[in-house]
Amino acid sequence: MEQLIENKLIKADKTFSEWRKVPFEERQRLIAKAAEILKSNSEKFGRIITAEMNKPISQSIAEVEKSALMMNYYVEAENILKPEKVDSEYTYSEIHYVPKGVILGVMPWNFPFWQVLRFATPAILSGNTVVLKHASICFGSGNAIEEIFLEAGFPEGVFQNLEVGHKEVKEILEHDAVKGVSLTGSGKAGGEVAATAGLNVKKSLLELGGSDAFIVLDDADLDKAAKVGAQARLQNCGQTCVAAKRFIIDKKTEDEFLPKFIEEYKKFVPGDPNDKETKISGMARPDLADDLEKQFNKALENGAEIIIPLERISDNEFNPGLIRVREGNPILQEELFGPLGMVMIAENDEEALKMANDIPFGLSNSVWTANKERQLFFIENLESGTVNINRMTSSDPRFPFGGTKASGYGTELSLLALREFVTPKTIVGN
């Protein structure tokens, strides 16, 4: 291991021995300062995001502001890590929540500030220290976040950015100083990291891919569903784990809904990412565009039909595409990470549910219906970490975020995230 990285891990471990003793309220005070720095410089940090991965600047600024909002949620959060007294016959009868130590974050490029801070904020508030392995195109974001923590007054070593490639992750995770890992990324990367963590008996949290369903029933508000559906697929150029990817439409409303949806979809025309009016720009890298184009062709080879062609207009830009896909197409078992949506037609609610669940993933689904009984049917039977009713998927600091099946395990956001990287320590005796 490179000596610089070794030194940073040792520093994180040494800092942890003191940081764990800092009162919860003092940690919150420092997080409030970091949130204020973020909010006051949202355009500056947003421009770093746009420069690194092509996100439209208005969305980059919104990402920074949402990160500040999330941090302020934890500033006001109840301290659920206080010792809990348990009624019993013993003199000592308590549960203490003990931070684990240095936690490695392996984070992606699609939300360079949000993903990092969503993981790091509750981990640090719980008394841990954090080292970050960011995506290789986002080292600028990682360094900026480290500077924010230092400027806010956090001790050196509480948050450190490591400029390393994916090949170094295994060795870092195996290091004695590192006690756990949180990864947001692909299923392949998640499996490799989970395997290393398991072999070394270290806690892991995985937030992996999704192929979320956007289910439109015949009693839905079709105008709103069409408008929100296009945004749900194409925000961040479709490079979002919780983006709507499969539009499952009730056959009874197909003829009315599809034209509305196509009209809204075609409003997303690629533009200059530095223009605040731009709603969609290029993908983060040309190789990612290559991958999407291959998946598009694979879908067509297996019977998919073009509704709107996926048209490549530069190395990393597309006019967004939409295809009709039937059950059995192997593309349904993959995640489309880019501006390409799939439409499926369901005969009834039962078939719509089967289609929604018949994939490896289980991250988040959206159901559009005005009928309470139909809503409850899907709420109770959809296999996903989140179900949205008459709205698109968007994470909220107040609610747990995570998936099931191949979409991963563990909880981010909400108060529950404060207990992800702590050990419940039982104290019993007289």
Side-chain angles (χ1 to χ4, degrees), residues 147-404:
E147 287 299 318
I148 290 166
F149 277 99
L150 292 172
E151 185 180 341
F154 283 85
E156 290 188 13
V158 168
F159 181 99
Q160 296 177 92
N161 183 47
L162 310 178
E163 293 193 8
V164 296
H166 67 274
K167 292 180 180 177
E168 284 78 24
V169 169
K170 182 175 184 292
E171 192 175 6
I172 293 169
L173 183 51
E174 289 173 339
H175 195 282
D176 287 344
V178 176
K179 299 300 189 290
V181 60
S182 176
L183 175 141
T184 297
S186 68
K188 181 176 183 293
E192 291 171 355
V193 165
T196 300
L199 285 172
N200 291 272
V201 197
K202 296 181 180 183
K203 171 66 185 288
S204 62
L205 184 157
L206 303 180
E207 199 272 275
L208 307 177
S211 188
D212 294 348
F214 192 98
I215 302 168
V216 182
L217 304 183
D218 60 308
D219 62 345
D221 181 334
L222 299 184
D223 289 329
K224 185 177 180 182
K227 184 173 184 177
V228 174
Q231 181 186 356
R233 181 66 199 105
L234 298 174
Q235 66 167 342
N236 200 24
C237 200
Q239 302 168 118
T240 307
C241 57
V242 293
K245 298 185 173 88
R246 296 173 301 135
F247 294 85
I248 300 174
I249 302 167
D250 188 318
K251 186 177 182 179
K252 293 188 289 295
T253 197
E254 174 186 357
D255 291 343
E256 186 177 358
F257 175 75
L258 259 185
K260 296 176 185 288
F261 183 47
I262 291 168
E263 181 182 356
E264 293 293 339
Y265 208 86
K266 286 183 174 179
K267 291 178 181 178
F268 285 78
V269 178
D272 178 1
N274 290 297
D275 184 341
K276 290 188 177 180
E277 299 302 313
T278 295
K279 295 199 297 183
I280 187 171
S281 53
M283 294 182 66
R285 300 193 311 260
D287 63 300
L288 299 170
D290 292 342
D291 291 342
L292 185 69
E293 202 164 42
K294 289 174 185 174
Q295 289 179 301
F296 173 63
N297 291 327
K298 178 180 178 178
L300 297 181
E301 289 165 5
N302 285 278
E305 300 169 7
I306 295 174
I307 299 174
I308 304 173
L310 180 73
E311 297 176 330
R312 194 163 184 174
I313 56 178
S314 75
D315 282 351
N316 66 334
E317 286 181 298
F318 290 101
N319 285 321
L322 195 63
I323 53 178
R324 185 188 300 264
V325 179
R326 291 177 176 81
E327 287 187 281
N329 193 316
I331 202 66
L332 291 168
Q333 304 305 305
E334 301 178 14
E335 179 178 26
L336 299 180
F337 218 66
L340 177 62
M342 297 178 282
V343 170
M344 304 178 74
I345 306 301
E347 293 287 339
N348 49 48
D349 292 7
E350 289 72 20
E351 186 175 51
L353 176 69
K354 180 179 179 295
M355 288 177 172
N357 286 340
D358 192 22
I359 58 167
F361 307 102
L363 196 52
S364 181
N365 291 296
S366 180
V367 181
W368 291 73
T369 173
N371 184 287
K372 295 293 183 184
E373 288 186 10
R374 297 175 93 181
Q375 291 172 8
L376 285 173
F377 170 74
F378 285 98
I379 288 170
E380 292 171 356
N381 293 291
L382 280 169
E383 298 168 352
S384 57
T386 302
V387 177
N388 298 273
I389 305 297
N390 297 322
R391 67 185 297 274
M392 64 181 278
T393 295
S394 61
S395 52
D396 184 313
R398 297 170 295 177
F399 304 120
F401 182 86
T404 186

